[in-house]
Amino acid sequence: MSAPELVRADGATAGADDGATSAVRLLEVAPEIERAIPADDRELARRVLVAHIVAVRAGRLEPMVAHPVTGAPGLAVVLEGLVLRNTQLGARVVTEIVGAGDILDTRDDDVEPSLVSTTTEYVVHRTAKLAFLGDRFGAGARRWPGLHDVVHAQLARQRRRASTHLAILQLPRVEDRILSVFSHFADRWGRVTPEGVAIDLPLTHELIGQIIGGRRPTVSLALAELAGGGVLERRDDGSWLLARTAATAL
């Protein structure tokens, strides 16, 4: 896919020195959105469906998790990079990874009162680029209801992945949780090599612990055991190599 065309907030093409808010034509970065538009309307949709984009460095997203123009919570599509959704209960944190193509939906975070007091924050892992859906997308969805279906389908996929993650957390052995979560990641980010499946996720032992619900020292011991067995090892470039025998090990 060629690089998406940057445009001004009014939909016109942005020049190299244009100081207006940068944006992106959604049909150029989300083929599923284009498929939801009738063929006769796609040229109009290409001009109308424009989203504000924000490039962010490592660190907490808030308050940038809100729309950069309206300031309201809403929907943002992750175009590049990784965002960590951290849910904290007491001293424990559980982390979900949101990657390219996923949708951040912050409209209901920490809104409903609950006897279980949790907090949610979004943290950019290294760098990320987000496209915030706003009024233009809402107006487009009123004309082309299939846009709602696209958003709901993506959120449903993310809920299914979250359910798998929840099931992984119930495994009693830390080694099994680590292998299961890396196999889960391999489905999305894995690249088959002669040595096994390379997973280009620069995850620290502490972050893996947050993902699988384990303490860092325990995670480090489990990773050493898995590496010694040739099942999972960290490579020099920070990526991970999952052996083809991982499923058998599980």
Side-chain angles (χ1 to χ4, degrees):
M1 179 185 297
S2 59
E5 180 183 10
L6 297 184
V7 295
R8 296 204 316 254
D10 59 8
T13 301
D17 298 323
D18 197 324
T21 303
S22 61
V24 66
R25 299 190 192 278
L26 287 174
L27 266 64
E28 297 186 6
V29 296
E32 63 276 14
I33 289 181
E34 182 176 13
R35 291 191 292 269
I37 305 294
D40 292 345
D41 287 348
R42 285 176 183 169
E43 183 54 37
L44 172 62
R46 183 177 178 274
R47 297 194 303 270
V48 170
L49 296 178
V50 173
H52 290 86
I53 59 174
V54 176
V56 286
R57 298 178 180 177
R60 290 184 61 187
L61 254 179
E62 297 168 332
M64 294 184 70
V65 75
H67 193 284
V69 175
T70 66
L75 302 174
V77 180
V78 180
L79 299 180
E80 298 175 9
L82 298 175
V83 177
L84 311 177
R85 186 178 190 271
N86 294 332
T87 301
Q88 183 166 358
L89 174 60
R92 301 302 296 268
V93 177
V94 174
T95 296
E96 301 171 60
I97 293 184
V98 184
D102 288 339
I103 295 175
L104 291 174
D105 184 359
T106 64
R107 294 170 296 182
D108 297 324
D109 282 347
D110 304 326
V111 172
E112 296 184 0
S114 173
L115 294 177
V116 181
S117 179
T118 63
T119 58
T120 301
E121 69 172 6
Y122 296 87
V123 178
V124 173
H125 190 56
R126 295 195 171 181
T127 61
K129 184 177 291 186
L130 309 177
F132 287 84
L133 308 182
D135 293 342
R136 282 174 171 264
F137 188 85
R142 289 191 289 273
R143 180 182 179 110
W144 304 296
L147 296 181
H148 286 302
D149 297 336
V150 172
V151 171
H152 292 159
Q154 177 58 37
L155 291 175
R157 285 191 289 270
Q158 292 173 217
R159 284 193 295 271
R160 287 194 294 272
R161 291 202 301 265
S163 295
T164 300
H165 187 188
L166 181 61
I168 289 171
L169 293 179
Q170 309 310 307
L171 296 174
R173 296 180 68 245
V174 172
E175 291 85 354
D176 289 341
R177 274 180 266 160
I178 291 174
L179 278 185
S180 295
V181 83
F182 271 93
S183 298
H184 190 41
F185 292 157
D187 289 336
R188 296 195 64 199
W189 296 294
R191 177 173 47 85
V192 177
T193 71
E195 296 80 21
V197 182
I199 305 169
D200 189 17
L201 291 177
L203 305 177
T204 64
H205 290 198
E206 182 178 4
L207 182 52
I208 293 171
Q210 291 178 194
I211 293 170
I212 61 107
R215 301 285 187 180
R216 190 198 61 76
T218 306
V219 168
S220 296
L221 289 173
L223 287 170
E225 182 176 335
L226 292 171
V231 182
L232 176 69
E233 61 179 334
R234 189 174 189 176
R235 306 201 296 184
D236 292 339
D237 62 359
S239 64
W240 296 83
L241 185 66
L242 184 68
R244 299 177 186 274
T245 58
T248 304
L250 279 171

